[in-house]
Every structure is written in structure tokens, then in C-alpha cells.
Amino acid sequence: MTTPPPGLRERKKRATREALREAALRLAVERGPDRVRVEDIAEAAGVSPRTYNNYFASREQAIVSAVTADREARIAAAVAARPAGVRLADAVTEAVVEQYTNTGEREHRALLLITTRTALRDAFLDTTAGIELPLTAVIAERLRNAEAHPARVLAASVTAAVRIALEGWLRPAGSAETAGSLAAGGLLVPSGSLADQLRAALAPLAPAFDAAEQGGQP
């Protein structure tokens, strides 16, 4: 079944959201996140602050959205695109790793910016919650299970594992120098390979995925 293309109203909403998040990131890079107001972002995107509030709850959410936009949908689509013979645990793991690590220079610069402020880091971590619903749907389809409960449990577990991996990756180093930087400016230094952190966090879920594929309950 082919999904119909979005209508004019939906296209306008998408364009507005894109303009807001791009303006938020550009201004944050130019001025520093703490010197960007919601009113500034709205003006740069050519909309009112009231319209801004229909799309984002804070400036941090808008800045982070420039990096994480549609990632949850891309993860689900990547799982769905894997051949049916691929183990579900492997399909999910590789889709998550791919979408979180296959970033360009623009996204890399934005991530460095995000790690400099606790509020931005927290907003970035909160985006993991969006993974659950799209992933539930695609897992249920792969399991050919009319009841969503097993798929939802698995998807919720993946969401939690991804957040744990990101928290570990963003954890500041334990040196006195880093601790001083943290106190002064909220600097958080990503540690180690994000791909390795994600795979390690997701690995304990593999038996539950295997059981679900074999017809058991996760």
C-alpha cells in the first residue's frame, strides 16, 4: 500500500518546523545558546513567537531538533528495510547505530555545541522517547503479532538502552580539570565510541528479541 503524499497544509507545517530548527541552530552557533531568545528564532524564521510555541516548547528543543529531526522515523524505516532473514535483534541494533553515528560535519558541529550546555544535553537525551512508537509498529509487523504488547515492551527497552548509552557517552571525564570545566561552563566531553556504547547497551536485549521471533514473550 502506497502512502499518499502530504497535502499542502502538512507541507507548510513541515517547512515551518524546518525553518525554525535551522534558525535556532544557526543563531546558537553564531551567538552561543545562552544568547538566543525564542523571539530571535521566530524572527529569523519569519514567524511569530506564538507560531514558534506551536512547534517547540523551548529554544533547547528547537536547537536539538536540528540534529535529531525525524531520527525515530528513520530508525523504524531502517529496521523495516532489512531483509526478512536478518535476525531482528541485529536489524534493530544496526539501524540504531547507523542513525546515531552516520552524521555529517554539520551534525557533528551541532553535537559539540549540544554537549556544552546541560539544558541542551538534557533536551537531546529526551528525544530518545520518540523512538518507541514508530519502532513498536515496525517490530509488531516483523513479528506478525496482532497484539502490540510484546513489540511495545521491546521498543520501550530499546528506547531505555539508547538513552543509557547516550548518557554514558556524554558522561564527563573524572579528572579535576574536567570537573572544573563542568562547574564553570557545563562542559561535557563525549567519551569513547558512541557505536560501541550503543551496541553494548542493546546487547542484553538480544535474547528477548530472539524469544519474540520464536513465538515467545519478551
Side-chain angles (χ1 to χ4, degrees), residues 55-132:
Y55 290 86
F56 298 107
S58 66
R59 67 182 177 186
E60 288 80 14
Q61 193 180 84
I63 293 168
V64 166
S65 180
V67 181
T68 63
D70 305 320
R71 178 179 282 158
E72 62 275 7
R74 296 197 307 270
I75 289 173
V79 173
R82 295 300 197 276
V86 174
R87 181 184 177 213
L88 184 55
D90 294 335
V92 170
T93 298
E94 293 311 309
V96 168
V97 171
E98 176 184 279
Q99 294 303 322
Y100 269 93
T101 62
N102 188 18
T103 58
E105 184 177 346
R106 170 185 169 279
E107 289 79 7
H108 182 68
R109 288 199 304 267
L111 277 173
L112 290 177
L113 175 68
I114 287 169
T115 62
T116 65
R117 297 294 186 278
T118 300
L120 287 174
R121 182 200 62 167
D122 290 343
F124 178 68
L125 292 173
D126 287 345
T127 63
T128 58
I131 297 172
E132 184 176 335

Side-chain angles (χ1 to χ4, degrees), residues 171-192:
R171 183 180 300 123
S175 67
E177 179 181 354
T178 301
S181 298
L182 177 62
L187 178 62
L188 288 165
V189 183
S191 56

Side-chain angles (χ1 to χ4, degrees), residues 43 79 81 121 140 146 180 204-205 213:
E43 181 180 359
V79 173
R121 182 200 62 167
L205 305 182
E213 280 197 289

